């Protein structure tokens, strides 16, 4: 397996030299997700400078940043993750160790972490521990004050892309090149989760060569079922019996970046590369594939009320009011350059972060109204 050779950030673009790297997205990443799945040699070349990478993503275009009530966030800053600290207070993390507290409308205070590593994930646990993960296995932990941070030594070099938590408080983290670990409070000691990749990825390995997959993110439900999604169209599930197994993927096919699962575990939706969506209504036994965004990569899906929102490349939002139809929206004061990578639904608001200083806050009501009647919206416009 060939690991990435270098990452170079010059202020406006992230240059990645990696044969498996596609674009998950700087948007997922100025560094964020390395998507090496390539459906063909031609598509791999086309996306080599455009999407996620080991942590990153590939090209970031310099544009004017969103207008905020704080000058700490610049157009060169790319935000990869957001987590809620307390009511009306959030932690945003991004490239070059950037971390900041924010409210729903403005930045509050920059946070200093023990390293300037690119940061790709953030999570607030039930135990009120706050975890931040980044490139080269950097893992930091604090409490909800986010003032004092402790470095947790994982002894790995892979990037940490996501955290998910079971009802028992166990946290699973995922990342590049098969990074898959678990820990319980106080999250100091982490153990590797071993999976039979040779079996799960037999078709991909026969064609592509042996390489552990990038695991981009996960989702869970109240019953304690966990899903992890990743490269080669992978969907992995840990059921109530505690055993992991493959539900989807394993061949040379587009990567999956995000998922949601219903409380009863029967309805699953996963989205990812090339605008594809994979859905199941029988707990993952059978799957239906559809094209939501005509080739635009989709990085995050979230439920709100009875509806869903997806963020993606070109700073797009896709909203479905639970009728199976998706409407593509953009903020009226925004440009379609860059991407939105993470979304947090809290109360009646949606907080969105991404590239080029991307920090947006809106209401579920505004999104719903724009989806129903875009001509009457002053906040959103329809995608071109």
């Amino acid at each position: 397996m060939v690991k990435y050779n270098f990452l170079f950030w010059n202020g406006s673009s992230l240059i990645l030299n990696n044969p498996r790297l596609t674009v998950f997205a700087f948007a997922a990443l100025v560094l964020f997700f390395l998507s090496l799945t390539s459906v063909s040699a031609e598509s791999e070349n086309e996306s080599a400078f455009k999407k996620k990478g080991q942590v990153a993503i590939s090209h970031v275009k310099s544009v004017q940043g969103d207008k905020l009530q704080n000058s700490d966030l610049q157009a060169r800053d790319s935000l990869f993750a957001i987590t809620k600290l307390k009511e009306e207070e959030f932690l945003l993390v991004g490239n070059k160790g950037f971390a900041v507290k924010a409210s729903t409308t403005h930045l509050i205070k920059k946070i200093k972490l023990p390293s300037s590593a690119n940061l790709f994930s953030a999570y607030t646990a039930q135990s009120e521990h706050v975890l931040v993960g980044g490139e080269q296995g950097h893992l930091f932990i604090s409490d909800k004050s986010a003032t004092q941070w402790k470095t947790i030594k994982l002894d790995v070099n892979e990037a940490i892309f996501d955290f998910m938590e079971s009802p028992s408080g166990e946290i699973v983290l995922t990342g590049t090149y098969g990074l898959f670990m678990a820990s319980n409070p106080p999250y100091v000691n982490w153990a590797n989760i071993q999976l039979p990749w040779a079996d799960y990825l037999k078709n991909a390995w026969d064609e592509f060569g042996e390489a552990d997959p990038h695991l981009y993110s996960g989702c869970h439900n109240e019953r304690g079922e966990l899903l992890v999604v990743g490269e080669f169209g992978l969907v992995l599930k840990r059921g109530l019996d505690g055993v992991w197994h493959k539900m989807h993927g394993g061949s040379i096919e587009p990567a999956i970046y995000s998922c949601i699962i219903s409380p009863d575990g029967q309805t699953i939706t996963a989205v990812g590369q090339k605008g594809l969506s994979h859905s199941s209504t029988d707990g993952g036994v059978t799957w239906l594939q559809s094209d939501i965004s005509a080739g635009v990569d989709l990085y995050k899906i979230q439920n709100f009320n009875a509806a869903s929102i997806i963020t993606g490349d070109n700073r797009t939002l896709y909203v479905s009011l639970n009728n199976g139809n998706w409407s593509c929206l953009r903020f009226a004061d925004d440009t379609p350059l860059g991407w939105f990578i993470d979304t947090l639904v809290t109360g009646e608001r949606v907080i969105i972060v991404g590239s080029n200083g991307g920090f947006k806050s809106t209401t579920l009501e505004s999104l719903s109204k724009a989806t129903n009647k875009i001509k009457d919206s002053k906040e959103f416009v329809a995608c071109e």
Side-chain angles (χ1 to χ4, degrees), residues 166-184:
S166 71
S168 68
E170 178 194 28
I171 288 181
V172 173
L173 67 76
T174 63
T176 55
Y177 298 101
L179 181 63
F180 204 16
M181 306 183 80
S183 181
N184 288 289

Side-chain angles (χ1 to χ4, degrees), residues 157-355:
N157 291 318
E158 289 73 27
I160 300 170
F161 283 161
D162 199 18
F163 302 97
M164 67 218 71
E165 184 176 8
S166 71
S168 68
E170 178 194 28
I171 288 181
V172 173
L173 67 76
T174 63
T176 55
Y177 298 101
L179 181 63
F180 204 16
M181 306 183 80
S183 181
N184 288 289
Y187 308 115
V188 174
N189 299 310
W190 293 78
N192 287 311
I193 299 174
Q194 302 293 339
L195 293 181
W197 295 127
D199 294 334
Y200 288 177
L201 302 175
K202 183 180 185 306
N203 292 336
W205 283 14
D206 286 346
E207 184 174 348
F208 182 82
E210 295 185 11
D212 290 348
H214 300 317
L215 303 174
Y216 293 117
S217 71
C219 55
H220 65 279
N221 61 13
E222 293 83 351
R223 294 188 345 145
E225 295 169 303
L226 303 182
L227 299 184
V228 168
V229 297
E231 194 176 13
F232 304 118
L234 281 175
V235 179
L236 309 173
K237 178 181 179 180
R238 189 178 78 177
L240 301 181
D241 59 0
V243 178
W244 287 96
H245 63 277
K246 185 185 76 171
M247 304 175 66
H248 182 277
S251 300
I252 301 298
E253 55 188 290
I256 296 177
Y257 298 139
S258 181
C259 62
I260 52 176
I261 179 172
S262 62
D264 64 2
Q266 292 301 296
T267 302
I268 301 168
T269 303
V271 299
Q273 201 173 19
K274 298 184 179 297
L276 294 180
S277 168
H278 304 272
S279 59
S280 175
T281 57
D282 55 13
V285 177
T286 60
W287 295 85
L288 175 65
Q289 179 177 299
S290 59
D291 187 347
I292 291 178
S293 62
V296 174
D297 285 1
L298 306 174
Y299 303 127
K300 182 78 171 187
I301 181 170
Q302 288 271 48
N303 281 333
F304 67 92
N305 299 331
S308 300
I309 179 174
I310 299 172
T311 52
D313 217 356
N314 302 333
R315 294 167 80 92
T316 49
L317 309 177
Y318 295 87
V319 181
S320 174
L321 301 181
N322 204 30
N323 56 11
N325 297 319
W326 292 90
S327 298
C328 182
L329 308 176
R330 286 198 302 104
F331 286 96
D333 63 349
D334 209 359
T335 61
L337 299 179
W339 37 263
F340 287 132
I341 186 69
D342 200 11
T343 305
L344 179 67
V345 177
T346 174
E348 293 301 313
R349 299 198 70 86
V350 180
I351 314 297
I352 302 167
V353 298
S355 64

Side-chain angles (χ1 to χ4, degrees), residues 7-14 26 30-31 55 76-80 93-99 110-120 134-135 140:
L7 276 172
F8 180 72
W9 171 255
N10 66 6
S12 64
S13 62
L14 181 68
F26 197 94
V30 166
L31 265 137
V55 225
R76 66 177 177 273
D77 294 319
S78 287
L79 300 172
F80 296 129
V93 300
N95 62 305
K96 291 189 173 181
F98 185 86
K110 287 190 83 170
I111 302 297
K112 184 172 178 58
L113 272 71
S115 170
S116 59
N118 294 297
L119 306 173
F120 306 127
E135 63 183 333
F140 310 105

